[in-house]
Amino acid sequence: MVKLPECIEKSEYEKNISSQTPEVKIEPADITIALAGNANVGKSVIFNNLTGSEQVVGNWPGKTVDLAEGTFHYNGQKLHIIDLPGIYSFSTFSMEEIVSREYIAHEKPEVVINVLDGSVLERNLFFTLQLMEMGVPLVVCVNQMDIARQKGFHIDTEKLEKALGVPVVPTVAIHGEGLQKLVEKAIDVAQTRKVVEVPVEYGGEVERVVKQLEEFLDNEGLDLGYSNRWVAIKLLENDPEINKQVESISERAIQYSTYLALELEKIHDEPSFSIIASERYALASRIAAGAQKQDKYKPTLSEKLDKILIHPLFGYFTSALVILGLLIWTFVLGNFLSEIITEAMSFFQPVDAALSGPVIAVLWNGAFGGFVAGVTLIVPFVIPFYILLSYIENSGLLTRVAFMMDSFMQKIGLHGKALIPLILGYGCSVPAIDSTKILETRRERLLAAFAITFAPCSARTIIILSLVAIFVSIWWALALYVLDIIIIFIMGKLALKAMPGEATGLIMEMHALRLPSTSTILKQTWNRTKSLIYLVFPVFIAGSALIQVLYVLGILGPISNFMAPLTVGWLLLPSFAGILLIVGVVRKEFVLLTLVSFVGTDLSLALTPVQFIVLALIGMLYIPCLSTISILIREFGLKAASVISAANLITAFIVGGIAAHLLSFIL
């Protein structure tokens, strides 16, 4: 039987705290506050509201993989805010869980704010109990109270505070409600250093075994930076990382913990980690039941929509419509904006270096031509894409698409959650590959990264839209995206055969659908667009000028002649295409940049419709840019990065050559 604190009267646990921990105020000083909790509970929203930073807020699991830090001042007090990754436990199954528990244990923030989703209180309390086991200064923030009320839940935060024995503050962070009180409570806890010594007490055999092991660890003088009670629980759960740390200090502790765990397993006839988890769930359920009531259940609009969005049949159509809608929106609106901007910049025409002189040619064709190319060929397409992508992320649609695509992703050894970094790869491969950290195993991360390198990032999208959508047709551009999905599937199947193994099941938070705020969409779009603009425009201007210099000096001709058997003979492209492919390895935009430097913005003077399509297809598939190769080496090593790059290159030339010969009979 689990010993539970009462929700109505002051618990024995609270009485122990008041007697054991004197509230001694300390002088004002810098305070570090860590935000911890499950994914999608609103930690990043709170972080942004408090710090005013530009942290991206996304509505899908595992968004915060790395630590995000910000500062702000409140009543003369400087506060450091750390937004920890969204996790569900303190196990070592993922990098996020390790990062969070190591930070709390070893960096020792003055207070931890545990953010809960009020609409799923019982499930979130499972993690709260683990924080309490660690004995950290704690404030519980019950966020998304508006959604809880919509679902008919009435949460008595006073009863919840009595049950937990730590301050509890209700908030609606997206509207800023309750955040001032939350900060005040956090400062108060930090200044009094009110730490719970015995935060969670289980019942029966479990509590007896935990106390026996804790006492043994105390006698051994064990100090891992965690409380010995927490270490005892993790040993009983057979946590591999804690086992390793304890074994290096005391083998006797490992032997004794194994003996006690086996004793528990004989009594309960189940694994010891499952026994501990059951104790936590029982306690979380009892606390939640005592602190909340629910009116007669009425399905929310989000739940009604989910009957269609994740329906076994209709869900596939809605997911396909979301992805197709993202592409069509980008093509149609981008093409419309591009025509307007191109008309406005129609005064720009390249000049002949022989007539105007090399300096004028470099400055006009190169530097100013690079700027015109950026304005007319990048901005019109990138901004619409990022606007709608931000909406899909923050509304919760992306999570539904990932869920429905799980069966498809399983065929290439992944699960639906891998679709998240794959779709992010349509923006940029570098952060997409970095975001594969949300996947559980190195094998899954490597398979996902391999698929991402075939996804057309914004730079490749620029090439597709600028070459095909503008000079051939939108539908041929869309056809390239469809072909790319087929290629990703085929290459994924081949990679799966080369790296056989069993894919893990899909476990992810299905957050309620919501209309994201316009400010969030615009801020996220600007954060993504500005980094591209700040990088691409200087590169376009400087790179275009450099290419003009090489052109004037006559260096580019021999390179083109050397690659002619491949570019002209097999790919049926003009002879100068070899130069385009070489410079494109640095950044894919250089393909377009160099082409504009050669012939101006009216590219139809140099290429036929078939050549536009083939060049875009090659640019979409061939070797990743240097920044992508760099992160592949960092994450997976030189060998894996080389194999992935070679696969991209070979695929591009095989598919490009076949397409060139087939299309020559069609167009």
Side-chain angles (χ1 to χ4, degrees):
M1 185 72 177
V2 179
K3 184 178 179 181
L4 301 170
E6 295 296 327
C7 293
I8 300 176
E9 299 180 345
K10 187 170 184 178
S11 65
E12 288 298 322
Y13 152 67
E14 284 187 280
K15 295 175 183 177
N16 290 336
I17 295 310
S18 61
S19 62
Q20 294 175 8
T21 311
E23 296 190 9
V24 180
K25 293 282 185 178
I26 64 174
E27 292 299 320
D30 288 356
I31 292 176
T32 299
I33 301 173
L35 300 175
N38 293 178
N40 291 316
V41 295
K43 293 187 295 85
S44 294
V45 178
I46 294 174
F47 177 81
N48 282 345
N49 281 337
L50 295 182
T51 64
S53 73
E54 296 178 340
Q55 170 77 3
V56 174
V57 181
N59 192 29
W60 44 272
K63 179 67 177 177
T64 312
V65 173
D66 298 316
L67 299 180
E69 183 176 1
T71 60
F72 78 107
H73 291 80
Y74 184 81
N75 288 342
Q77 185 80 61
K78 185 178 180 182
L79 306 176
H80 298 274
I81 310 295
I82 306 295
D83 184 13
L84 295 173
I87 59 175
Y88 299 92
S89 71
F90 278 134
S91 64
T92 53
F93 297 130
S94 71
M95 182 60 68
E96 297 99 319
E97 293 168 343
I98 295 174
V99 166
S100 291
R101 84 180 195 185
E102 292 298 304
Y103 179 84
I104 292 174
H106 300 302
E107 298 299 326
K108 299 188 184 304
E110 279 75 16
V111 61
V112 176
I113 295 179
N114 176 213
V115 185
L116 312 182
D117 180 353
S119 64
V120 284
L121 182 62
E122 179 181 334
R123 187 168 65 202
N124 282 205
L125 283 172
F126 180 78
F127 180 64
T128 305
L129 295 176
Q130 294 179 70
L131 279 169
M132 295 171 67
E133 288 169 356
M134 292 187 75
V136 299
L138 189 65
V139 174
V140 171
C141 166
V142 185
N143 191 34
Q144 304 190 126
M145 292 289 285
D146 54 336
I147 298 177
R149 288 190 289 268
Q150 291 173 11
K151 291 185 176 182
F153 289 112
H154 300 279
I155 300 174
D156 190 329
T157 53
E158 291 184 2
K159 286 185 177 181
L160 184 60
E161 184 169 312
K162 289 179 179 179
L164 296 174
V166 297
V168 176
V169 181
T171 62
V172 182
I174 197 169
H175 299 305
E177 295 178 17
L179 294 187
Q180 181 176 346
K181 185 177 180 182
L182 178 64
V183 172
E184 291 172 351
K185 285 289 185 182
I187 293 175
D188 182 61
V189 170
Q191 290 181 338
T192 57
R193 310 283 179 157
K194 190 174 181 180
V195 179
V196 178
E197 297 293 340
V198 187
V200 178
E201 185 172 320
Y202 299 116
E205 305 85 6
V206 173
E207 184 60 30
R208 175 182 60 81
V209 167
V210 169
K211 286 183 176 178
Q212 283 180 336
L213 185 52
E214 180 186 6
E215 184 178 349
F216 182 88
L217 297 177
D218 289 337
N219 294 334
E220 288 284 296
L222 191 76
D223 184 10
L224 299 181
Y226 309 98
S227 71
N228 277 344
R229 178 180 175 85
W230 186 83
V231 173
I233 293 172
K234 301 310 288 183
L235 287 173
L236 292 173
E237 289 181 314
N238 196 27
D239 183 284
E241 185 65 27
I242 296 299
N243 279 350
K244 187 188 303 180
Q245 293 181 41
V246 173
E247 188 175 18
S248 65
I249 300 173
S250 172
E251 291 188 7
R252 293 175 67 244
I254 295 295
Q255 294 171 357
Y256 189 51
S257 65
T258 302
Y259 166 77
L260 293 176
L262 290 173
E263 185 179 300
L264 274 181
E265 291 175 356
K266 287 179 181 178
I267 296 173
H268 293 270
D269 196 26
E270 60 179 316
S272 58
F273 72 85
S274 178
I275 298 168
I276 300 293
S278 297
E279 293 286 301
R280 289 199 192 103
Y281 277 120
L283 185 54
S285 177
R286 181 68 173 273
I287 293 173
Q292 71 177 5
K293 294 181 180 179
Q294 185 177 18
D295 295 335
K296 186 177 180 181
Y297 179 73
K298 296 180 181 179
T300 63
L301 178 61
S302 174
E303 291 170 330
K304 292 177 181 178
L305 290 174
D306 277 341
K307 291 182 178 179
I308 300 175
L309 294 174
I310 57 177
H311 187 275
L313 176 61
F314 301 127
Y316 292 106
F317 290 103
T318 57
S319 297
L321 286 175
V322 169
I323 298 174
L324 192 63
L326 174 63
L327 298 177
I328 293 178
W329 158 272
T330 303
F331 294 159
V332 174
L333 183 58
N335 190 55
F336 173 73
L337 294 175
S338 180
E339 289 178 356
I340 294 176
I341 297 174
T342 301
E343 182 67 25
M345 304 293 289
S346 60
F347 64 88
F348 173 78
Q349 294 297 328
V351 298
D352 190 339
L355 299 176
S356 61
V359 175
I360 298 298
V362 169
L363 293 177
W364 182 257
N365 294 354
F368 188 67
F371 172 78
V372 172
V375 171
T376 57
L377 303 177
I378 297 178
V379 174
F381 296 101
V382 168
I383 292 179
F385 174 79
Y386 280 143
I387 287 175
L388 194 56
L389 178 61
S390 297
Y391 181 85
I392 292 172
E393 282 183 350
N394 289 278
S395 65
L397 282 172
L398 184 56
T399 310
R400 273 72 182 173
V401 173
F403 176 80
M404 292 307 304
M405 293 298 292
D406 181 54
S407 58
F408 172 82
M409 301 298 287
Q410 289 281 355
K411 295 184 184 301
I412 56 175
L414 299 170
H415 51 58
K417 194 159 62 171
L419 186 71
I420 293 169
L422 187 59
I423 289 182
L424 290 180
Y426 281 75
C428 181
S429 299
V430 175
I433 292 172
D434 189 58
S435 71
T436 59
K437 292 175 183 175
I438 66 174
L439 303 178
E440 283 72 14
T441 66
R442 184 183 186 278
R443 171 183 169 276
E444 289 181 341
R445 292 183 60 217
L446 187 56
L447 287 171
F450 180 70
I452 288 169
T453 60
F454 284 96
C457 63
S458 58
R460 290 167 166 175
T461 297
I462 290 167
I463 295 174
I464 296 170
L465 300 181
S466 301
L467 296 181
V468 180
I470 293 178
F471 294 103
V472 184
S473 77
I474 289 176
W475 302 110
W476 274 107
L478 184 60
L480 288 182
Y481 277 90
V482 174
L483 176 61
D484 182 71
I485 293 174
I486 296 172
I487 291 172
I488 289 175
F489 180 78
I490 293 173
M491 297 306 295
K493 292 288 285 185
L494 293 175
L496 183 59
K497 288 185 177 180
M499 297 180 61
E502 186 175 350
T504 58
L506 174 62
I507 302 175
M508 62 192 304
E509 186 86 12
M510 191 73 73
H511 200 279
L513 293 168
R514 64 175 61 178
L515 288 174
S517 66
T518 303
S519 61
T520 299
I521 297 298
L522 294 179
K523 179 185 289 186
Q524 191 164 327
T525 300
W526 171 240
N527 287 338
R528 287 171 166 168
T529 305
K530 73 178 181 181
S531 60
L532 184 64
I533 291 175
Y534 290 167
L535 177 64
V536 168
F537 272 81
V539 166
F540 261 51
I541 294 170
S544 183
L546 176 61
I547 291 166
Q548 277 294 312
V549 170
L550 297 176
Y551 178 72
V552 170
L553 295 176
I555 297 175
L556 301 180
I559 299 176
S560 297
N561 296 332
F562 176 76
M563 297 187 65
L566 173 65
T567 56
V568 179
W570 171 241
L571 300 176
L572 306 182
L573 293 173
S575 60
F576 59 75
I579 300 170
L580 305 183
L581 299 182
I582 290 174
V583 298
V585 175
V586 181
R587 282 191 64 84
K588 289 295 172 283
E589 299 98 327
F590 279 10
V591 172
L592 181 62
L593 173 65
T594 308
L595 186 57
V596 171
S597 298
F598 286 167
V599 300
T601 53
D602 187 2
L603 305 181
S604 61
L605 298 175
L607 298 172
T608 66
V610 172
Q611 290 173 332
F612 275 121
I613 295 172
V614 172
L615 183 58
L617 180 59
I618 297 294
M620 180 178 70
L621 295 176
Y622 90 114
I623 191 168
C625 66
L626 288 181
S627 56
T628 302
I629 295 173
S630 298
I631 193 170
L632 285 171
I633 294 173
R634 189 193 76 185
E635 295 295 324
F636 305 106
L638 180 60
K639 181 180 178 181
S642 300
V643 171
I644 291 175
S645 299
N648 277 254
L649 195 63
I650 294 170
T651 302
F653 288 145
I654 291 176
V655 174
I658 294 173
H661 289 81
L662 289 177
L663 289 175
S664 61
F665 295 104
I666 300 175
L667 296 178

